[in-house]
Amino acid sequence: MADIALSDTSATTERATALRRFSRSDAVFRFFTRSSALAILAIFAGILVTLIGGAWVSITQFGVGFLTTSTWNPVTEKFGAWPAIYGTLVSSAIAMILALPLGIGIAIFLTEICPRQLKRPIGIAIELLAGIPSIVYGIWGLFILAPYFQVNIEQHVIDWFDGIPVLQSLFAGPPYGIGLFTAGLILAIMILPFIASVTRDVFETAPPMLKEAAYGTGCTTWEVMWRIVLPFTQSGVVGGAMLALGRALGETMAVTFVIGNAHTHITANLFAPATTISATIANEFAEALGNVYPAAIIECGLILMGLTFTVLAAAQLMLRGFERRAGGRSA
Amino acid sequence: MNRAIYARRRLVNGTFLSLSVAAALVGMIALALILYALVVNGVQALSPTLFTLDQPAPQSIGGLKNAIYGSLLLNAMAIAIGTPIGIFAGTYLAEYGRHSWTAFFVRFANDILLSAPSILIGLFIYVLMVPRMHGFSALAGSLALAIIVIPVVVRTTENMLLLVPNTLREAAASIGAPRAISIRAVTWRAARAGIVTGILLALARISGETAPLLFTAFGNPNTSFNILGPVGALPLTIFNFFNSAYDDWHRLAWAGALIITAAVLTLSVFARLLEGRRS
């Protein structure tokens, strides 16, 4: 009797220690996963705080005027970010104008027109385009595209538009090959696969019943896309486009090679060399001496962060909303 | 009258469908042109000495050994630092946090970091580390790359864990497996292929990154494995060589670009195959 009672209690204590050990290891594991998740928030906040700290000298010295002035003079230590902001916005705008229709076109091709056997290879090709490192786009732009563009396209465009009111100032000489437009063009090729693949995924969530009903009433393929699929997937397409815009705004290497890195005088001319925030950082930060110059560049980075994070956050919200809606409908 | 409308609708349809075929062609042509230029220019400079000699002085013979080894070191360290954090965080989002506010904010921050401009990450690590450590270092470079690795791994880990059926988790719980053990032995194992895909994609992504290394790893003309000193990296060498005026440096840089692109594309195709085999 006594023996049994003894072994019984030792079994319970063994069990208790095992349970304690498990619950401790459970807690440790949970702690690690939770800390790792919080580390992401810390990185996010860290970037913001660090950049504000690094830019502080410039923020206090130039104030709000930093955003609107165009001087960029390391010698007199007078800095204004407007040319870089302008270049960033305009090159991204050119990229979006070129890539958005193309990307949606590719998505329509892949979801509606493409023969089944070709779908996978073309899908993979589009993803390869997305996988090419951005520096390769940059050197291709500088050594292959820009020289060709300069001789065979820019010169003709300048000649054609000479004398036409708005166009002659948008596309004016001399043809450099590199400049805002070339940067926009390279960016367009870079973001094209993002737009195409997000749009394709979003198009595929359109319920087949809706499409079939439309086909049943005699709609053409285009009418089904334009009147049924696009309205249904609107917020997803816009979200995908904004995701691509976020990438275009911050893209560095592809742009640095072909933008021309000119800080001064903004003109309407899209063929003129310009600069972007990211190109300014990449080209000048390593050589920036003193207190004010590096701080001014970091403040440019802070502006870029504000721009891209706003666009990306909006993109996330739209895509989330879309997923919830599409998920809810198809379920 | 009706016929006119019908003809117009067919015309509109035909026009826009042809335009979207044209769009697909434009995409294919762009890819072909870039790969063609890369191969034609890159193959000329390919030689075994690329892998055995350090970066040359202009007009002399040399290779890319310093850059290749530097890239390997940086990538290995970045994956080693970023992967555990990414997997743990993804596990938190899928297993513990799922619907909590913390998870909501972490997901949001993660998705923004996923597309954040990589030059900002370089700037961040520079301000944080370089002045304090009195100089550029492989450690700083790999931390910058790790910040790019983490969001990719988090996103794929979470997605893959969410695909694991709940019945597996319930089965583990019913035989008395504690949560931590059931996650490690059951859900992680079930999602392993997908998680590895995520790591490969992250590796592909950082292999081509230049911007975050500019002011962190900085570059080094000699082969170095000192993690507290500057090291070379292929993308950095390409950037610096193309910014120079020397033809032979340009040739080497084309070869470097070919090597990187081949590596990145092989990695991503491999990752897709792994993913495809699973589903």
Side-chain angles (χ1 to χ4, degrees):
Chain A
M1 274 301 271
D3 274 6
I4 292 168
L6 194 67
S7 72
D8 229 26
T9 44
S10 80
T12 10
T13 46
E14 226 169 77
R15 202 178 135 77
T17 37
L19 279 179
R20 253 202 313 280
R21 212 181 55 233
F22 280 145
S23 78
R24 201 174 319 122
S25 75
D26 248 9
V28 169
F29 187 76
R30 196 191 142 93
F31 172 79
F32 271 114
T33 61
R34 203 178 141 82
S35 330
S36 301
L38 293 176
I40 290 164
L41 288 182
I43 292 170
F44 191 84
I47 295 177
L48 185 65
V49 172
T50 314
L51 291 189
I52 292 177
W56 194 247
V57 177
S58 160
I59 295 174
T60 48
Q61 187 162 337
F62 302 115
V64 189
F66 188 75
L67 297 174
T68 51
T69 35
S70 307
T71 351
W72 189 266
N73 192 336
V75 181
T76 58
E77 299 203 321
K78 292 273 176 286
F79 298 100
W82 177 235
I85 298 174
Y86 174 84
T88 305
L89 295 178
V90 173
S91 61
S92 297
I94 295 172
M96 291 304 288
I97 291 169
L98 295 173
L100 199 55
L102 278 177
I104 294 179
I106 292 177
I108 293 177
F109 175 78
L110 283 174
T111 47
E112 295 297 320
I113 308 171
C114 185
R116 192 167 287 278
Q117 303 94 305
L118 280 180
K119 247 182 197 180
R120 208 169 143 70
I122 294 182
I124 290 177
I126 298 289
E127 290 193 1
L128 287 186
L129 201 54
I132 293 176
S134 59
I135 191 164
V136 172
Y137 281 99
I139 59 181
W140 184 76
L142 179 62
F143 290 98
I144 314 286
L145 181 70
Y148 179 84
F149 204 66
Q150 177 180 19
V151 179
N152 296 306
I153 297 177
E154 282 193 357
Q155 188 59 62
H156 299 301
V157 171
I158 292 164
D159 292 344
W160 286 336
F161 290 155
D162 192 29
I164 306 172
V166 178
L167 292 176
Q168 76 169 354
S169 42
L170 279 180
F171 302 98
Y176 290 102
I178 55 175
L180 264 181
F181 192 84
T182 314
L185 196 58
I186 288 285
L187 279 176
I189 302 175
M190 275 200 74
I191 60 174
L192 181 61
F194 289 107
I195 298 182
S197 73
V198 175
T199 314
R200 179 197 53 193
D201 293 348
V202 159
F203 279 174
E204 277 171 0
T205 63
M209 274 102 72
L210 277 184
K211 281 161 67 177
E212 281 156 17
Y215 279 122
T217 62
C219 286
T220 61
T221 309
W222 170 251
E223 283 162 351
V224 171
M225 292 313 290
W226 185 245
R227 306 223 168 136
I228 309 294
V229 177
L230 260 180
F232 182 83
T233 55
Q234 209 171 33
S235 58
V237 174
V238 175
M242 291 178 77
L243 210 57
L245 175 62
R247 295 216 175 216
L249 289 169
E251 176 47 45
T252 309
M253 281 304 141
V255 171
T256 304
F257 278 105
V258 293
I259 188 89
N261 303 309
H263 262 290
T264 41
H265 56 267
I266 295 168
T267 59
N269 183 7
L270 298 180
F271 285 162
T275 190
T276 66
I277 295 177
S278 53
T280 304
I281 302 173
N283 281 310
E284 300 181 29
F285 191 65
E287 292 145 23
L289 298 172
N291 275 330
V292 187
Y293 193 10
I297 295 176
I298 295 173
E299 190 175 353
C300 286
L302 199 61
I303 296 167
L304 178 64
M305 180 175 167
L307 274 174
T308 50
F309 282 25
T310 312
V311 170
L312 291 173
Q316 288 313 324
L317 290 178
M318 303 209 69
L319 286 173
R320 291 267 166 80
F322 175 74
E323 263 165 36
R324 244 196 324 275
R325 206 170 61 97
R329 290 235 186 140
S330 64
Chain B
M1 187 64 209
N2 233 341
R3 187 166 289 216
I5 294 175
Y6 185 62
R8 200 174 56 86
R9 284 175 57 205
R10 285 189 48 143
L11 183 69
V12 169
N13 185 47
T15 313
F16 280 103
L17 292 191
S18 323
L19 283 177
S20 62
V21 174
L25 279 177
V26 168
M28 297 298 109
I29 290 171
L31 177 67
L33 285 177
I34 293 173
L35 292 182
Y36 174 78
L38 202 56
V39 170
V40 165
N41 289 294
V43 164
Q44 291 173 353
L46 276 187
S47 76
T49 51
L50 278 184
F51 303 92
T52 55
L53 293 175
D54 275 347
Q55 163 177 339
Q59 327 288 337
S60 58
I61 296 168
L64 298 167
K65 180 177 160 231
N66 59 318
I68 292 170
Y69 281 87
S71 274
L72 291 177
L73 175 73
L74 288 169
N75 289 352
M77 282 170 60
I79 290 288
I81 300 167
T83 306
I85 299 179
I87 291 180
F88 275 128
T91 306
Y92 177 80
L93 294 180
E95 301 285 338
Y96 292 110
R98 252 190 226 194
H99 304 292
S100 68
W101 278 104
T102 321
F104 175 81
F105 285 118
V106 170
R107 244 174 238 131
F108 199 74
N110 191 68
D111 284 346
I112 288 182
L113 286 178
L114 198 60
S115 313
S118 56
I119 189 134
L120 290 183
I121 292 166
L123 214 49
F124 163 58
I125 293 290
Y126 173 88
V127 177
L128 197 68
M129 290 182 66
V130 174
R132 252 162 244 163
M133 292 181 59
H134 306 290
F136 305 104
S137 65
L139 187 64
S142 53
L143 277 179
L145 293 180
I147 294 180
I148 298 169
V149 169
I150 293 171
V152 181
V153 175
V154 170
R155 174 91 349 270
T156 43
T157 304
E158 190 198 358
N159 288 346
M160 291 302 142
L161 290 178
L162 287 178
L163 288 179
V164 175
N166 268 334
T167 43
L168 277 182
R169 295 188 181 92
E170 287 157 11
S174 73
I175 57 166
R179 196 75 189 269
I181 291 180
S182 113
I183 289 172
R184 285 198 303 257
V186 179
T187 34
W188 275 3
R189 187 161 298 180
R192 194 164 47 188
I195 296 176
V196 173
T197 304
I199 298 170
L200 289 179
L201 286 178
L203 183 59
R205 170 96 195 269
I206 58 171
S207 301
E209 282 290 353
T210 318
L213 299 176
L214 286 171
F215 342 108
T216 53
F218 191 70
N220 188 335
N222 305 305
T223 305
S224 158
F225 293 103
N226 174 14
I227 62 166
L228 298 178
V231 291
L234 263 179
L236 284 179
T237 304
I238 297 171
F239 180 65
N240 292 330
F241 280 12
F242 276 124
N243 273 334
S244 77
Y246 309 111
D247 277 347
D248 50 339
W249 274 16
H250 286 188
R251 274 195 296 280
L252 272 179
W254 277 111
L258 180 64
I259 294 174
I260 291 192
T261 312
V264 170
L265 295 188
T266 313
L267 270 174
S268 39
V269 168
F270 190 66
R272 300 273 169 231
L273 287 181
L274 198 69
E275 196 182 28
R277 204 184 55 191
R278 206 179 142 278
S279 63

